[in-house]
Amino acid sequence: MPEVTSGGAADFAAAATLVLGDLRRRLGLDHWWVARRDGDDHVVLAVAEPPAVPHHVPGAVTPWRTSFCRMVARGGAPAAVGRVALRPDVASAYAAHETGGVVVGATLSVQLLSPAGQVLGTVCGVGREEVPDLEELLPAVRVQAAALGLLLHQELALAEEARRAERAERAAATDPLTGLANRRAWDAAVRAEESRARRHATTAAVVVLDVDGLKERNDHHGHAAGDLLLQQVATLVAGRVRARDLVARLGGDEFGLLLPGTDAAGARRLAEDLRAALRGAGAGVSVGVAARRRPDDLAEAWARADAAMYAEKAARRGRGAPAAPAPTAVAAPAPAPAATSPRTAFAGAAGDDPVDALLATVREQLGADLAYVSTLVDTGDGAHRRLRNLVSPHPLPVAVGHVEPLDGSLCQTVATTREPVVVPDLAAAPWADSRGHRAWGLRSYVGVPLLRRDGSLYGTLCTVSLRPDPQLRERDAGVLQAVAGAVVELAEGQDREDDARRAVRRRLDDLRAAGGPRMVFQPVVDLATGASAGVEALSRFPDGTPPDRWFADAAAAGAGQELELAAARAALPALDAQPGFLALNASPATVLAPAFARLLAPLPLGRVVVEITEHVPVDDYSALRAALAPLRAAGLRVAVDDTGAGYASMRHVLALVPDLLKLDVSLVRDLDGHPPQRALVAAMAAFAASTGARTVAEGVETAAELAVLRELGVDLAQGYHLARPGPLPAPAPEPAVGGDAGQDPQATGGASGSRRARARARSQPRAATHASS
């Protein structure tokens, strides 16, 4: 088969064109093409050039049910017919629709198969003249068809892989609660915009918004109310920015706006407009604004904006925070069609939400202006309906989360009768006097019930239009009924995920109320002196669940950074309680957060070690290095956890050039009995020494392991053989003044002596820990 490449990969259409031309030259049939079945259609993918039948070009469609290929596939005709005149059934298949009226004397059809035997398409040829020995030529055609089948299979697999990657990329870059961009997308956008700004000398600004009173709302009204507030704030903000701007949820109650081509004054105007709009809708925010200015870059502008927001929030707390408002709906305007926010906003496209995708399909099928799903809720004041999903290209005065009484609505009729309701003209149907739809300015309606598998009512699926539609009939409700089951399955799956996320948030609230997480500390011993060089802070949770599970659940619920920061804050008293260093665990995402730098900045950083964990992959090492640089310049040391456990940890080592390499427990366990293991640890100790780093062995459980580690030159160690994790020892009480006069106050730890001893302990760690860790 001719080799044809496009962009470095084989191109099926070009290869098929060459193969078909080659077959025409060798077999003599006038017209050749490759086609695939698409439902009831037979669609041409490629033809021999130039085509012998003018209308039979790529994209041409003929009926599958009467095609010769169907006859061959069903066993009604041989693959090759050299004398069509002897087969009237074959002649009728080519009568007009496949050859444009050309009389066919001979024809053949050979299937394109995938490696697994799946039929992907057919190679077809026809000639005006009879070819009596056509069957003898089939082997040559089958060889070419086999090659084309492999190539087509490859292209289809690559296309599916690309779709999977696109879906994964969209999901990875989307905040599941608000539908906005997430932190990963934000970081990528900031880097890309900074690159453009440097190339083209353009300006850009950053606005940081932090929602006031979210914790109080969660505490007073539950996390569902807090989630609704965040969704409504996202909807309002997304509706007031340009298509070129990016709105992202940075984590928790913090939102970021990246504004290309906007200076500081323009960003401040937008920020104040957003503040006023949100205040009018019942949501308060603290705001920070900064613009890129040389030689600073956008990341530094973001840090300045975040610091300004934090200062404003602190000042507002000092003046007294307002009481948490009740969970009423924020009357947010619908965003522009370009701002797609699945499940949280009107959108011209379906976004990444599969329920929205189904709504978009039925809306387009029925020519409606709006498609939505409403669920039934009991607010304690009678039955209500809540708009769960909405898809429309038009701005309307309602948003996802809008709640209104069920009584008097067309949804009530659907819910009560469990039957479809079709209203071509609301104005001409007094019985369909729907308060909600008249308020929205809608004129026609189709709605069907959404029933769970057990027959109970989940809600309603509806399409509505801004104008009457006299063509609406009962059959149009069938379009909605065709997808109703899928809508319920998808929606309930999402509901379960939302419930699980809220359950995690409630667990975190209970943990915070109980003062958790509780911290324990495991000593890290200097193997040269046997003295403690410092401690690693480890989290413990009240229900005995492994810490990794807590942190993974928190990350899935969008609260991973919050829990990691809470653990770090709980560990900080260890700096005053022991003289060595304090090692804190943090994921790359938390290290990148400005809140992490704010937490560490006031500390004696010469006594702090940050262990980079691998809860999530590092997408941008340059950004991680930049975030750590000012802290490391102030004395912070960086450790890479689980070194030697896999490729990711070694990437951390090469990219971050850490101060400490923590050897994974798999390298330490039974080290004394495994020479290859000893060789690897020795090599890693030598590597660390050559880069100026020190090694820490984790999980030391036997004296034999410890002896080998000392022999191999490992610097530090921790493990049950040395000390188990536990609370820090309480400081010794100071004796009362006027104790035994015969004792030396320096020796007994009297009041002044005790104070001097503590002063010495606090004055020594910097020199001691630099030497010992």
Side-chain angles (χ1 to χ4, degrees):
M1 187 182 77
E3 181 180 357
V4 181
T5 61
S6 176
D11 179 84
F12 172 78
T17 300
L18 292 179
V19 165
L20 296 175
D22 181 64
L23 288 173
R24 180 165 60 187
R25 286 189 297 274
R26 290 198 289 124
L27 273 70
L29 299 181
D30 303 289
H31 184 49
W32 289 85
W33 69 97
V34 173
R36 295 194 73 202
R37 181 184 178 184
D38 182 14
D40 293 330
D41 296 328
H42 203 217
V43 183
V44 175
L45 298 184
V47 299
E49 295 291 348
V53 179
H55 81 281
H56 214 221
V57 295
V61 177
T62 59
W64 168 255
R65 66 182 182 278
T66 58
S67 68
F68 176 64
C69 294
R70 175 179 179 271
M71 295 171 63
V72 174
R74 294 171 65 91
V81 178
R83 295 180 175 179
V84 170
L86 302 179
R87 293 290 303 264
D89 55 337
V90 174
S92 65
Y94 285 100
H97 60 269
E98 288 193 10
T99 59
V102 175
V103 175
V104 176
T107 184
L108 65 75
S109 174
V110 174
Q111 293 178 335
L112 304 184
L113 302 177
S114 74
Q118 177 188 7
V119 177
L120 302 178
T122 52
V123 173
C124 306
V126 296
R128 294 181 178 86
E129 305 296 328
E130 293 183 348
V131 183
D133 60 347
L134 189 58
E135 284 193 16
E136 299 174 10
L137 303 176
L138 274 177
V141 181
R142 289 197 169 106
V143 170
Q144 297 280 45
L148 285 179
L150 290 172
L151 186 54
L152 181 56
H153 170 76
Q154 180 187 28
E155 280 205 357
L156 293 174
L158 289 173
E160 181 56 32
E161 184 62 31
R163 281 190 287 272
R164 280 197 296 269
E166 290 165 3
R167 290 194 297 270
E169 184 175 354
R170 287 196 298 269
T174 302
D175 173 55
L177 176 64
T178 64
L180 298 176
N182 65 7
R183 173 62 186 275
R184 179 178 179 179
W186 170 267
D187 289 343
V190 168
R191 292 193 300 271
E193 191 57 39
E194 172 60 23
S195 176
R196 286 188 287 268
R198 287 183 182 275
R199 274 200 317 275
H200 307 304
T202 54
T203 188
V206 173
V207 176
V208 178
L209 303 175
D210 191 275
V211 180
D212 295 333
L214 180 65
K215 177 182 178 299
E216 290 79 7
R217 177 178 285 232
N218 286 336
D219 290 345
H220 295 165
H221 307 295
H223 279 286
D227 288 351
L228 179 59
L229 174 63
L230 292 174
Q231 290 173 332
Q232 292 164 336
V233 168
T235 298
L236 189 147
V237 173
R240 288 178 174 262
V241 299
R242 305 165 300 179
R244 67 189 301 194
D245 300 329
L246 175 74
V247 183
R249 183 183 178 208
L250 302 180
D253 52 6
E254 192 169 321
F255 295 83
L257 285 73
L258 178 59
L259 311 173
T262 302
D263 58 15
R268 282 193 291 270
R269 285 193 297 271
L270 174 62
E272 291 310 311
D273 174 66
L274 290 172
R275 190 200 301 275
L278 288 164
R279 186 187 301 117
V285 290
S286 299
V287 181
V289 177
R292 182 184 185 275
R293 62 190 183 205
R294 296 175 184 82
D296 293 350
D297 61 14
L298 265 175
E300 290 162 328
W302 172 30
R304 294 199 308 273
D306 187 78
M309 178 278 295
Y310 190 78
E312 178 180 301
K313 196 171 190 72
R316 290 162 69 90
R317 286 198 188 105
R319 294 192 297 269
T328 53
V330 174
T340 301
S341 300
R343 284 206 288 155
T344 62
F346 288 102
D352 298 317
D353 188 306
V355 176
D356 283 352
L358 290 175
L359 294 184
T361 299
V362 298
R363 185 188 71 79
E364 293 167 3
Q365 183 73 20
L366 296 182
D369 293 306
L370 169 67
Y372 65 88
V373 169
S374 65
T375 58
L376 306 184
V377 295
D378 190 346
T379 63
D381 186 26
H384 286 62
R385 64 170 182 154
R386 175 181 177 273
L387 300 184
R388 186 191 187 280
N389 294 72
L390 304 99
V391 172
S392 175
H394 306 291
L396 291 169
V398 288
V400 165
H402 174 79
V403 177
E404 65 181 24
L406 184 64
D407 184 41
S409 69
L410 286 170
C411 286
Q412 181 189 32
T413 304
V414 175
T416 302
T417 64
R418 304 287 183 95
E419 295 292 339
V421 171
V422 179
V423 185
D425 187 353
L426 290 168
W431 63 271
D433 184 13
S434 173
R435 174 177 57 252
H437 290 147
R438 287 189 181 280
W440 303 352
L442 304 175
R443 293 292 302 276
S444 59
Y445 170 92
V446 180
V448 300
L450 293 175
L451 302 177
R452 299 183 179 90
R453 289 190 176 186
D454 62 4
S456 61
L457 186 68
Y458 177 80
T460 58
L461 169 62
C462 312
T463 60
V464 288
S465 293
L466 299 170
R467 61 196 178 283
D469 185 354
Q471 303 302 316
L472 283 179
R473 297 290 186 272
E474 292 294 332
R475 66 175 182 273
D476 295 303
V479 175
L480 303 187
Q481 289 176 310
V483 300
V487 166
V488 173
E489 291 288 327
L490 291 169
E492 287 201 303
Q494 292 171 345
D495 291 347
R496 286 190 293 272
E497 292 175 2
D498 291 344
D499 290 343
R501 179 171 47 78
R502 293 189 183 105
V504 171
R505 298 291 307 201
R506 286 192 295 271
R507 287 172 60 206
L508 292 173
D509 282 350
D510 293 341
L511 179 69
R512 185 181 65 241
R518 180 175 64 88
M519 304 306 295
V520 295
F521 302 88
Q522 185 170 41
V524 180
V525 174
D526 188 321
L527 295 187
T529 66
S532 173
V535 294
E536 179 183 0
L538 303 168
S539 300
R540 295 295 181 264
F541 295 91
D543 60 358
T545 302
D548 286 352
R549 182 71 265 161
W550 271 84
F551 284 104
D553 289 347
Q561 183 186 119
E562 175 185 331
L563 182 57
E564 288 188 36
L565 291 173
R569 280 191 291 269
L572 294 185
L575 282 170
D576 289 331
Q578 55 87 39
F581 65 76
L582 170 64
L584 305 172
N585 290 278
S587 67
T590 296
V591 172
L592 285 167
F596 186 72
R598 287 198 300 263
L599 177 67
L600 297 189
L603 304 177
L605 291 180
R607 296 182 53 211
V608 178
V609 173
V610 171
E611 295 189 15
I612 305 296
T613 62
E614 297 185 63
H615 298 161
V616 293
V618 177
D619 296 316
D620 187 347
Y621 279 104
S622 62
L624 189 58
R625 287 192 297 267
L628 288 167
L631 299 172
R632 297 182 83 170
L636 177 78
R637 281 167 292 171
V638 172
V640 168
D641 208 3
D642 301 330
T643 304
Y647 174 68
S649 65
M650 295 310 298
R651 284 201 65 196
H652 283 3
V653 170
L654 295 174
L656 299 177
V657 192
D659 306 285
L660 295 161
L661 272 64
K662 301 202 69 175
L663 304 181
D664 185 66
V665 65
S666 64
L667 299 180
V668 176
R669 187 65 38 78
D670 301 324
L671 176 65
D672 51 301
H674 291 79
Q677 209 167 305
R678 291 168 58 118
L680 181 55
V681 170
M684 298 190 74
F687 170 82
S690 70
T691 63
R694 308 196 78 195
T695 46
V696 185
E698 295 188 281
V700 179
E701 294 192 349
T702 68
E705 291 170 353
L706 188 63
V708 174
L709 290 168
R710 281 198 174 101
E711 175 189 332
L712 297 177
V714 173
D715 302 292
L716 307 163
Q718 62 188 100
Y720 282 8
H721 177 69
L722 297 167
R724 289 177 176 266
L728 291 171
E734 296 183 2
V737 177
D740 188 341
Q743 291 181 323
D744 181 358
Q746 296 267 4
T748 62
S752 60
S754 177
R755 281 193 294 272
R756 284 194 295 272
R758 289 197 303 274
R760 283 197 304 273
R762 282 193 291 268
S763 67
Q764 292 170 359
R766 282 183 181 269
T769 54
H770 278 297
S772 64
S773 61

